[in-house]
Amino acid sequence: MILTVTLNASLDVTYGVDSLRPRTSHRVGAVDRRAGGKGVNVARVLAGRGRAVTVTGLVGGPTGALVREDLRAVRGLRDAFVPVSGESRRTVTVVSGDDGDATVFNERGPQVSASEWRAFAGRFAELVREASVVALCGSLPPGLPSDAYAQLVARAAETGVPTVLDTSGAPLLDALGARPDVVKPNAAELASATGCEDAGAGADRLRGLGARSVVVSSGPGGLLAVTPEGRRRAVPPERLAGNPTGAGDACVAALAAGLADGAHWGDVLSDAVALSAAAVACPVAGDVDAATYERFRTTVTVEDLHAPQPH
C-alpha cells in the first residue's frame, strides 16, 4: 500500500476557456469539479494504475465533505482523512484553449489548531505502519508548523518506510534534516529554495542538507535525478500541448511506485517522464492518457551523467 498525505486538500475547479485575456469577461466552456491537492492527485494516478492507495490529510466543512464524497467514487482508493473544524480550500484553474496554458488560483486553506495537528500525527503513525512508501505533497494550511513534514518524514523513517516529498519553501527546507528518501522540486522551487539557478548545483545543495535523492522537474525539459547512484537526465521525445498542472503529481506517483518496487533509477525516470506527459494530455490533474503513456514510455531518453559527490 502506498500512502499519500495531503495536508491542504482542496476541491479543484477547472474552467476551460477559448483564450484567457486579462481585464475581460470570459465564457466558460467545460467545467470540472473534483477532490484535489497534490497528494490526492498522486493517489488518483496510482489507483488508476491498479495500485493499492490510502489518502490521508486534513479536510473540513462543506467543501471537505465534497472532497470526501468525490473520493468515494475512485476505485482502489481508501479514504483516511482526518477532519478539522475549518473549511477546506477551493482552487480554480483556468485552462486556455488557444495555447494550453493554465492559470491557477490557490486559496490558503483552513486554520488548523495544535490539537488537530496532534490528532493527525497520531493517525499518521497508525497508517504508516501499513505502508510500503509515503508520498507527502503540497502546501501547509495555516496553523501548522513549518517542520510539519519533517515530523512526518522522521516518523516514517522510524518505521522503516521510505518517503517522497513534494513541497516548497520553508516546509521543504525544514524537512531535509529528517532525510527524506526522494525530494521532487520543480526548477523554480529549487532555485527559490537554494538560490542556485543551475539545477545540478541546486540538487547538490539539497542533498548536502539531508535529501538522499533529488529529482528536479523542468516541464518539457524532462527530469534531472541526483542520487547516491549518480546523475541521470530523462527527456521526453516531444513537447505536448495541454494542461501541465497534473504533470508533477504524476511524476511523484511514478517515483513512489518505483520506490515501492525497488526499481532501477533509469526505469523509474523513464516511467515518470511518460506519466507526466500522459497527465499533460488530460484536461484535469489526477488523470493520465493511456495512449500517450504507452507511446512515451519506450521513447524517453535517459542519459547517465557524471557521478555526484557523496553526502
Side-chain angles (χ1 to χ4, degrees):
M1 185 270 288
I2 296 176
L3 176 66
T4 73
V5 177
T6 311
L7 295 176
N8 208 3
S10 63
L11 185 70
D12 289 352
V13 182
T14 302
Y15 291 152
V17 299
D18 291 336
S19 179
L20 181 61
R21 303 183 185 280
R23 298 177 296 278
T24 65
S25 62
H26 296 77
R27 187 172 297 280
V28 176
V31 179
D32 184 272
R33 296 179 179 86
R34 58 164 49 188
K38 294 180 73 63
V40 169
N41 296 335
V42 171
R44 283 187 189 276
V45 174
L46 290 167
R49 302 192 70 203
R51 295 277 180 166
V53 189
T54 297
V55 289
T56 190
L58 303 169
V59 293
T63 302
L66 290 173
V67 168
R68 303 189 83 166
E69 180 182 348
D70 183 66
L71 291 177
R72 283 196 289 271
V74 181
R75 184 176 181 179
L77 192 153
R78 172 190 173 201
D79 171 9
F81 272 105
V82 175
V84 296
S85 60
E87 180 84 8
S88 289
R89 64 188 181 130
R90 294 179 181 237
T91 72
V92 176
T93 300
V94 182
V95 180
S96 178
D98 59 355
D99 57 14
D101 283 346
T103 301
V104 184
F105 300 87
N106 291 315
E107 296 179 4
R108 295 185 65 203
Q111 183 75 30
V112 179
S113 69
S115 61
E116 289 169 335
W117 172 238
R118 287 193 297 271
F120 174 79
R123 181 64 171 136
F124 178 82
E126 298 171 355
L127 292 169
V128 75
R129 289 196 291 268
E130 308 169 13
S132 58
V133 174
V134 179
L136 306 116
C137 310
S139 63
L140 299 180
L144 289 194
S146 65
D147 69 343
Y149 282 131
Q151 296 179 38
L152 301 182
V153 170
R155 176 53 63 93
E158 291 171 2
T159 316
V161 178
T163 49
V164 182
L165 176 65
D166 182 13
T167 189
S168 60
L172 167 61
L173 292 173
D174 286 352
L176 296 176
R179 304 213 67 194
D181 291 272
V182 182
V183 173
K184 195 222 72 69
N186 62 37
E189 292 165 346
L190 180 68
S192 176
T194 65
C196 299
E197 294 299 325
D198 178 76
D204 286 340
R205 180 75 58 85
L206 294 189
R207 291 193 71 229
L209 293 171
R212 298 179 190 276
S213 296
V214 179
V215 177
V216 185
S217 58
S218 55
L223 302 174
L224 172 68
V226 182
T227 77
E229 298 177 12
R231 295 174 187 257
R232 293 178 178 85
R233 188 179 301 279
V235 182
E238 62 186 84
R239 179 168 185 165
L240 291 177
N243 178 12
T245 55
D249 303 329
C251 176
V252 172
L255 296 175
L259 270 183
D261 295 342
H264 183 272
W265 265 108
D267 295 332
V268 173
L269 295 174
S270 181
D271 197 54
V273 170
L275 266 185
S276 298
V280 171
C282 289
V284 291
D287 289 348
V288 293
D289 180 72
T292 301
Y293 172 71
E294 290 300 325
R295 180 161 57 90
F296 272 64
R297 70 184 185 90
T298 57
T299 55
V300 172
T301 300
V302 180
E303 179 186 6
D304 287 338
L305 307 176
H306 61 85
Q309 296 297 316
H311 291 286

